[in-house]
Amino acid sequence: MDNFYQEPPQSRLNHKVDGPMKWLIGLTLGAVIFALAFLWGRESERQFNQSGESTVSPSPVASLVPVSSVSPSASSSGSVDVTSVYTNSTYHFQLEPPPSWKGYTVKQESGTGEMLASYDFRMPTTDHDWKQQLSESEASLIKVTVYAPEVWKQISIQDGPQPTVLLQNSQYVVVYSVAQDVPADLIQAHQDTSQIPATAKFTS
Protein backbone atom coordinates (compact mmCIF):
# COMPACT_ATOMS: atom_id res chain seq x y z
CA MET A 1 0.00 0.00 0.00
CA ASP A 2 2.92 2.34 0.61
CA ASN A 3 3.95 2.00 -3.05
CA PHE A 4 0.76 3.70 -4.29
CA TYR A 5 1.00 7.40 -4.90
CA GLN A 6 -1.02 9.43 -2.41
CA GLU A 7 -2.22 12.92 -3.64
CA PRO A 8 -1.41 15.62 -1.15
CA PRO A 9 -4.46 16.98 0.67
CA GLN A 10 -3.94 20.47 -0.71
CA SER A 11 -3.89 19.22 -4.33
CA ARG A 12 -7.21 17.41 -3.81
CA LEU A 13 -8.71 20.62 -2.48
CA ASN A 14 -7.59 22.52 -5.60
CA HIS A 15 -9.32 20.00 -7.86
CA LYS A 16 -12.55 20.43 -5.94
CA VAL A 17 -12.35 24.23 -6.32
CA ASP A 18 -11.29 24.29 -9.99
CA GLY A 19 -14.47 22.62 -11.22
CA PRO A 20 -17.03 25.14 -9.85
CA MET A 21 -14.76 28.08 -10.65
CA LYS A 22 -14.44 27.10 -14.29
CA TRP A 23 -18.19 26.64 -14.51
CA LEU A 24 -18.80 30.08 -12.92
CA ILE A 25 -16.30 31.83 -15.20
CA GLY A 26 -17.82 30.21 -18.27
CA LEU A 27 -21.31 31.25 -17.22
CA THR A 28 -20.16 34.84 -16.64
CA LEU A 29 -18.43 35.05 -20.03
CA GLY A 30 -21.52 33.68 -21.72
CA ALA A 31 -23.73 36.28 -20.06
CA VAL A 32 -21.38 39.08 -21.09
CA ILE A 33 -21.30 37.87 -24.71
CA PHE A 34 -25.08 37.58 -24.79
CA ALA A 35 -25.50 41.11 -23.38
CA LEU A 36 -23.07 42.57 -25.93
CA ALA A 37 -24.83 40.80 -28.77
CA PHE A 38 -28.22 42.07 -27.57
CA LEU A 39 -26.98 45.66 -27.32
CA TRP A 40 -25.39 45.45 -30.76
CA GLY A 41 -28.65 44.20 -32.22
CA ARG A 42 -30.65 47.03 -30.64
CA GLU A 43 -28.19 49.63 -31.94
CA SER A 44 -28.34 48.17 -35.47
CA GLU A 45 -32.13 48.23 -35.39
CA ARG A 46 -32.17 51.87 -34.25
CA GLN A 47 -29.80 52.94 -37.01
CA PHE A 48 -31.89 51.09 -39.59
CA ASN A 49 -35.09 52.78 -38.43
CA GLN A 50 -33.45 56.19 -38.59
CA SER A 51 -32.14 55.59 -42.09
CA GLY A 52 -35.55 54.36 -43.25
CA GLU A 53 -37.50 57.41 -42.10
CA SER A 54 -39.19 59.39 -44.87
CA THR A 55 -37.44 62.59 -45.85
CA VAL A 56 -40.57 64.03 -47.48
CA SER A 57 -41.69 67.18 -45.71
CA PRO A 58 -45.27 67.14 -44.39
CA SER A 59 -47.90 69.08 -46.30
CA PRO A 60 -48.21 72.61 -44.94
CA VAL A 61 -51.32 73.40 -42.95
CA ALA A 62 -53.59 75.88 -44.65
CA SER A 63 -53.34 79.33 -43.09
CA LEU A 64 -54.88 82.71 -43.60
CA VAL A 65 -53.05 85.14 -45.87
CA PRO A 66 -52.83 88.75 -44.66
CA VAL A 67 -55.47 90.72 -46.55
CA SER A 68 -53.14 93.68 -46.87
CA SER A 69 -51.50 91.82 -49.78
CA VAL A 70 -54.53 90.17 -51.42
CA SER A 71 -58.26 90.72 -51.56
CA PRO A 72 -60.42 87.97 -50.05
CA SER A 73 -61.77 85.49 -52.59
CA ALA A 74 -64.74 83.16 -52.74
CA SER A 75 -62.59 80.23 -51.66
CA SER A 76 -61.23 81.88 -48.52
CA SER A 77 -62.72 82.79 -45.18
CA GLY A 78 -61.04 84.98 -42.61
CA SER A 79 -60.63 88.41 -41.12
CA VAL A 80 -60.68 91.12 -43.75
CA ASP A 81 -58.99 94.49 -43.49
CA VAL A 82 -61.49 97.36 -43.43
CA THR A 83 -59.73 99.16 -46.28
CA SER A 84 -59.85 96.20 -48.67
CA VAL A 85 -62.55 95.41 -51.21
CA TYR A 86 -64.18 92.00 -51.08
CA THR A 87 -63.56 90.34 -54.44
CA ASN A 88 -65.25 87.10 -55.45
CA SER A 89 -63.07 85.47 -58.10
CA THR A 90 -65.54 82.65 -58.82
CA TYR A 91 -68.55 84.75 -59.80
CA HIS A 92 -66.60 87.90 -60.65
CA PHE A 93 -68.12 90.52 -58.39
CA GLN A 94 -66.89 92.78 -55.64
CA LEU A 95 -68.23 95.03 -52.93
CA GLU A 96 -66.77 97.34 -50.30
CA PRO A 97 -67.96 96.98 -46.71
CA PRO A 98 -68.41 100.17 -44.65
CA PRO A 99 -65.78 101.23 -42.08
CA SER A 100 -67.94 99.98 -39.22
CA TRP A 101 -67.40 96.42 -40.48
CA LYS A 102 -63.86 96.26 -39.17
CA GLY A 103 -62.80 92.66 -38.55
CA TYR A 104 -65.57 91.04 -40.60
CA THR A 105 -65.26 87.51 -41.96
CA VAL A 106 -66.81 85.75 -44.92
CA LYS A 107 -68.02 82.20 -44.54
CA GLN A 108 -68.65 80.39 -47.81
CA GLU A 109 -71.48 77.89 -48.04
CA SER A 110 -71.53 75.40 -50.91
CA GLY A 111 -74.34 75.63 -53.40
CA THR A 112 -77.32 73.43 -52.66
CA GLY A 113 -80.42 72.94 -54.73
CA GLU A 114 -81.28 76.13 -56.61
CA MET A 115 -78.44 78.43 -55.53
CA LEU A 116 -74.92 78.32 -56.93
CA ALA A 117 -73.22 79.60 -53.78
CA SER A 118 -73.84 81.64 -50.66
CA TYR A 119 -71.56 83.91 -48.63
CA ASP A 120 -72.27 84.82 -45.02
CA PHE A 121 -70.70 88.14 -43.96
CA ARG A 122 -70.11 88.00 -40.20
CA MET A 123 -68.59 90.11 -37.45
CA PRO A 124 -67.23 89.27 -34.00
CA THR A 125 -69.32 90.36 -31.05
CA THR A 126 -68.58 91.08 -27.41
CA ASP A 127 -72.25 90.90 -26.42
CA HIS A 128 -72.34 88.48 -23.48
CA ASP A 129 -76.05 87.69 -23.79
CA TRP A 130 -75.70 86.91 -27.50
CA LYS A 131 -72.78 84.56 -26.94
CA GLN A 132 -74.51 82.86 -24.03
CA GLN A 133 -77.82 82.32 -25.84
CA LEU A 134 -76.44 81.26 -29.22
CA SER A 135 -73.04 79.90 -28.17
CA GLU A 136 -71.44 81.99 -30.92
CA SER A 137 -68.82 84.70 -30.81
CA GLU A 138 -69.87 86.08 -34.22
CA ALA A 139 -73.09 87.34 -35.75
CA SER A 140 -74.26 87.38 -39.36
CA LEU A 141 -74.92 90.80 -40.93
CA ILE A 142 -75.84 89.91 -44.49
CA LYS A 143 -75.91 86.84 -46.68
CA VAL A 144 -75.01 87.16 -50.36
CA THR A 145 -76.35 84.41 -52.66
CA VAL A 146 -75.63 83.70 -56.33
CA TYR A 147 -78.22 82.21 -58.71
CA ALA A 148 -78.36 81.37 -62.38
CA PRO A 149 -80.72 83.87 -64.14
CA GLU A 150 -83.28 81.25 -65.12
CA VAL A 151 -83.44 79.93 -61.54
CA TRP A 152 -83.80 83.38 -60.05
CA LYS A 153 -86.62 84.15 -62.49
CA GLN A 154 -88.62 81.30 -60.99
CA ILE A 155 -87.78 82.27 -57.42
CA SER A 156 -88.64 85.94 -57.89
CA ILE A 157 -92.27 85.21 -58.81
CA GLN A 158 -92.90 83.16 -55.69
CA ASP A 159 -94.95 84.55 -52.83
CA GLY A 160 -93.31 85.69 -49.62
CA PRO A 161 -90.22 87.76 -48.74
CA GLN A 162 -87.52 87.84 -51.36
CA PRO A 163 -83.82 88.78 -51.22
CA THR A 164 -82.80 92.08 -52.79
CA VAL A 165 -81.00 91.96 -56.13
CA LEU A 166 -77.47 93.30 -55.76
CA LEU A 167 -76.11 92.61 -59.25
CA GLN A 168 -77.37 90.90 -62.38
CA ASN A 169 -75.97 89.97 -65.80
CA SER A 170 -76.48 87.22 -68.37
CA GLN A 171 -74.62 84.65 -66.25
CA TYR A 172 -75.42 85.38 -62.62
CA VAL A 173 -77.88 87.09 -60.34
CA VAL A 174 -76.34 88.18 -57.03
CA VAL A 175 -78.85 88.89 -54.25
CA TYR A 176 -78.52 89.67 -50.56
CA SER A 177 -80.55 89.37 -47.39
CA VAL A 178 -80.03 91.46 -44.27
CA ALA A 179 -80.04 89.81 -40.85
CA GLN A 180 -83.13 90.58 -38.77
CA ASP A 181 -81.47 90.33 -35.38
CA VAL A 182 -77.95 91.38 -34.34
CA PRO A 183 -76.11 91.91 -31.02
CA ALA A 184 -76.25 95.30 -29.37
CA ASP A 185 -72.62 96.11 -30.20
CA LEU A 186 -73.23 95.53 -33.95
CA ILE A 187 -76.29 97.76 -34.40
CA GLN A 188 -74.27 100.47 -36.18
CA ALA A 189 -72.65 97.93 -38.51
CA HIS A 190 -76.10 96.51 -39.22
CA GLN A 191 -77.46 99.94 -40.14
CA ASP A 192 -74.47 100.63 -42.39
CA THR A 193 -75.39 97.62 -44.51
CA SER A 194 -77.44 100.03 -46.65
CA GLN A 195 -74.16 101.46 -48.01
CA ILE A 196 -73.09 98.20 -49.64
CA PRO A 197 -75.32 98.11 -52.77
CA ALA A 198 -73.74 101.33 -54.11
CA THR A 199 -70.28 99.71 -54.02
CA ALA A 200 -71.20 96.40 -55.66
CA LYS A 201 -70.15 95.67 -59.25
CA PHE A 202 -69.10 92.87 -61.58
CA THR A 203 -65.38 92.67 -62.27
CA SER A 204 -65.70 91.08 -65.71
Side-chain angles (χ1 to χ4, degrees):
M1 295 296 294
D2 293 340
N3 293 330
F4 287 93
Y5 173 74
Q6 297 285 331
E7 188 178 36
Q10 183 63 36
S11 177
R12 287 196 299 270
L13 178 61
N14 289 340
H15 281 191
K16 291 180 181 181
V17 175
D18 287 346
M21 286 297 294
K22 290 180 180 179
W23 179 84
L24 181 60
I25 292 172
L27 182 62
T28 302
L29 289 175
V32 171
I33 293 172
F34 175 78
L36 291 174
F38 176 77
L39 293 175
W40 180 83
R42 290 292 299 274
E43 179 65 17
S44 298
E45 182 182 0
R46 185 184 66 82
Q47 292 179 357
F48 175 78
N49 290 336
Q50 288 180 345
S51 63
E53 290 179 352
S54 173
T55 57
V56 179
S57 299
S59 300
V61 178
S63 58
L64 295 177
V65 179
V67 184
S68 58
S69 59
V70 295
S71 296
S73 66
S75 60
S76 65
S77 173
S79 295
V80 179
D81 190 276
V82 68
T83 61
S84 65
V85 174
Y86 173 79
T87 301
N88 189 301
S89 59
T90 303
Y91 299 104
H92 311 292
F93 70 89
Q94 68 180 31
L95 53 85
E96 185 174 356
S100 58
W101 280 35
K102 185 176 182 179
Y104 78 91
T105 61
V106 181
K107 180 180 180 181
Q108 179 179 351
E109 300 174 0
S110 300
T112 56
E114 299 173 328
M115 70 178 186
L116 296 175
S118 182
Y119 304 93
D120 190 10
F121 288 71
R122 306 170 64 84
M123 281 193 64
T125 177
T126 58
D127 190 301
H128 177 73
D129 293 337
W130 178 275
K131 293 192 289 185
Q132 188 174 33
Q133 292 176 9
L134 301 180
S135 299
E136 290 187 356
S137 58
E138 291 183 332
S140 176
L141 292 178
I142 66 169
K143 180 172 288 189
V144 176
T145 307
V146 183
Y147 293 97
E150 60 274 14
V151 174
W152 173 249
K153 184 177 180 180
Q154 297 298 320
I155 294 176
S156 62
I157 62 177
Q158 296 176 3
D159 294 333
Q162 298 287 346
T164 303
V165 174
L166 190 63
L167 296 167
Q168 184 172 348
N169 61 15
S170 60
Q171 292 182 295
Y172 310 114
V173 178
V174 183
V175 301
Y176 76 100
S177 301
V178 180
Q180 299 299 310
D181 188 25
V182 296
D185 59 335
L186 297 182
I187 290 178
Q188 184 62 54
H190 183 258
Q191 294 174 347
D192 291 344
T193 299
S194 59
Q195 302 176 23
I196 291 180
T199 69
K201 65 179 180 179
F202 283 111
T203 56
S204 62

